[in-house]
Amino acid sequence: MRLSRPTRFAPVVSIGCLLILGYFAWHAWHGPRGYAYQEQLSAKLDLLDADRLDVAKRRSVLEARVSLMRPEHVDLDMLDELARSTLGMLQSNELVITD
C-alpha cells in the first residue's frame, strides 16, 4: 500500500475555505442584516408597539362616541353637542368648553 504525500494544493484549499468562512461570518455579524440590525429592529418594534397601543386607545374612545350616535339609541346630550358644534348655534348665556 502506497501512502500519498500531501500536495501543495491542500493548504491553499484550506486557507481559501477559511477565508470564505471568515467573509460570511463577518457579514453575519456586521453586515446590513447582521446582529446589530436585529437590535435596531427590536428597538423599532418597541416604538411601533407603543404607537399601536396609543392608536388602539384613541380608537376605543372614538368607538364609544360613535356608539352614542347609533340610530337605535341616540344620546340626547351627544346629539345636542354635535348639532351645536356643527351649526355653530349658541344662546347668549351659554359657555362652551372644548377639549
Side-chain angles (χ1 to χ4, degrees):
M1 175 168 194
R2 184 174 158 201
L3 296 174
S4 65
R5 290 186 316 162
T7 62
R8 292 182 192 178
F9 185 67
V12 172
V13 170
S14 297
I15 290 172
C17 289
L18 285 175
L19 287 175
I20 291 172
L21 180 66
Y23 172 80
F24 285 115
W26 188 87
H27 279 285
W29 192 261
H30 296 288
R33 303 257 196 251
Y35 183 72
Y37 182 72
Q38 296 299 322
E39 290 177 353
Q40 290 175 355
L41 283 179
S42 177
K44 190 174 181 180
L45 179 66
D46 292 340
L47 288 174
L48 290 175
D49 199 28
D51 287 345
R52 182 188 56 84
L53 291 175
D54 183 43
V55 168
K57 218 182 281 186
R58 286 188 292 167
R59 178 182 173 155
S60 66
V61 168
L62 290 174
E63 284 178 348
R65 286 182 58 107
V66 168
S67 70
L68 293 174
M69 296 183 288
R70 299 250 183 236
E72 304 87 38
H73 174 71
V74 176
D75 185 32
L76 296 179
D77 290 333
M78 179 62 72
L79 179 64
D80 184 49
E81 177 186 337
L82 285 174
R84 287 174 184 267
S85 66
T86 303
L87 300 174
M89 300 179 78
L90 298 173
Q91 293 180 0
S92 61
N93 62 352
E94 290 182 332
L95 176 67
V96 177
I97 300 172
T98 60
D99 294 338

